[in-house]
Amino acid sequence: MANRLRPFRLHIAGSPPGCETRIYADAPPFDQATFEYKLATGEIDGRHWPADLPDRIDPNEPLRRHRLVYIWDERRPILGVVSCNPSKATRRLLDATLLATVNQAAIWGFGGIEQGNVSPIYMTDSARVHESLDLNDPENHAAIGTVLANDTVWLAWGARPADLHDALGTAWNSAEDVILATAWERQVVGLRVIAQRVNKGPGYKPPGHPSPRRIPPSRPPMLYNCPLSLTIVRRSRSR
C-alpha cells in the first residue's frame, strides 16, 4: 500500500448522541457452536479468498487470507469490516474476534459481513503480529478496496500493533492513511463509516472503538445497541 498521498488530517463529526454508552445487554444473536453448525450445513454462507485455504488453520503456517464473507440474512445489507490481521477464522470456523464481529453486525441490523485486514497473514498471538505483517501485498490492497465498496464500513483494526520498529511503523501509518483516504473519497457518494476516532495529525489516535481486537478471555466483548456512525471530513492538507 504505497503512500503516494500527501499528509492530511481528518476529523470526525456526526456520531449519534448516546451511542457510545448504549451497551447491548441481551444475549448475543449467535453463539459460536450454532454459527459454526450453520456454516457447516450451508444455512450461513461462508467464503474466503484464497478459496483453497484449509478449514482449520495451523497458526505456525504463514497462510494469507485476503477476504472473508459470512452471510446469514440475504435480505439485509452487508457490513464491510477492516480488521488488523487474520487469526483462526475460516469459511467454516470462527475465532473470538470474528464471533464478536458477526454478533455486533447482527445487532446493528446487518445480514452479513465482508471482512478484510490491514495485513493478510494469519497470526493468532496478537503480541506477535509485528513479526508477520505484510503491508505491500497487492492482492490485499485490492481486497480492502472491495470491502470499502460496501455502503457501510467498520474500521475495526484498533490501535496499531505494538513493537513496530521505525520503518514498519511508518509503513503501518501509510497503510492506514490510504484506507482512510479511500473512505473519505467514498463519503462523497454516501459511504457510512463506523469508528470511534480517526484523527490524523499531532496526537493521532487510530480507529480504536468499538474494536473486537484483543478480547481478554475472562471478559466478554462489549457490544453496542447502535453503530458509532461517523462522517469523515477532510480538515486540512499540508504539502
Side-chain angles (χ1 to χ4, degrees), residues 23-196:
I23 308 301
Y24 182 83
D26 296 332
F30 300 112
D31 63 83
Q32 186 163 346
T34 299
F35 196 91
E36 289 180 348
Y37 174 77
K38 291 183 176 182
L39 283 171
T41 60
E43 185 175 343
I44 293 176
D45 183 17
R47 288 166 280 154
H48 56 207
W49 289 265
D52 60 354
L53 282 172
D55 282 342
R56 292 189 178 274
I57 297 299
D58 179 350
N60 297 312
E61 289 290 326
L63 296 173
R64 294 168 183 255
R65 186 186 75 224
H66 298 113
R67 276 192 298 145
L68 179 63
V69 174
Y70 297 133
I71 300 175
W72 53 87
D73 188 343
E74 293 182 346
R75 299 166 298 178
R76 295 181 176 272
I78 301 297
L79 175 65
V81 182
V82 183
S83 300
C84 177
N85 67 287
S87 178
K88 296 178 182 177
T90 69
R91 60 180 174 168
R92 296 287 183 265
L93 302 172
L94 291 175
D95 57 26
T97 298
L98 265 295
L99 179 62
T101 302
V102 299
N103 273 310
Q104 185 63 85
I107 289 167
W108 284 342
F110 293 92
I113 64 167
E114 181 173 27
Q115 187 244 11
N117 297 280
V118 181
S119 173
I121 301 176
Y122 276 95
M123 174 58 72
T124 299
D125 184 352
S126 62
R128 296 175 56 205
V129 167
H130 64 283
E131 297 176 12
S132 64
L133 290 178
D134 184 352
L135 304 173
N136 297 302
D137 180 339
E139 290 185 67
N140 199 53
H141 299 173
I144 291 174
T146 299
V147 170
L148 292 176
N150 287 283
D151 290 337
T152 305
V153 175
W154 182 8
L155 304 180
W157 59 82
R160 84 180 194 181
D163 299 321
L164 298 188
H165 57 74
D166 288 348
L168 196 54
T170 299
W172 179 272
N173 290 342
S174 297
E176 286 187 337
D177 282 349
V178 173
I179 294 170
L180 295 173
T182 303
W184 182 85
E185 296 294 341
R186 289 218 55 236
Q187 285 285 317
V188 176
V189 294
L191 174 69
R192 187 181 184 198
V193 178
I194 298 170
Q196 184 192 32

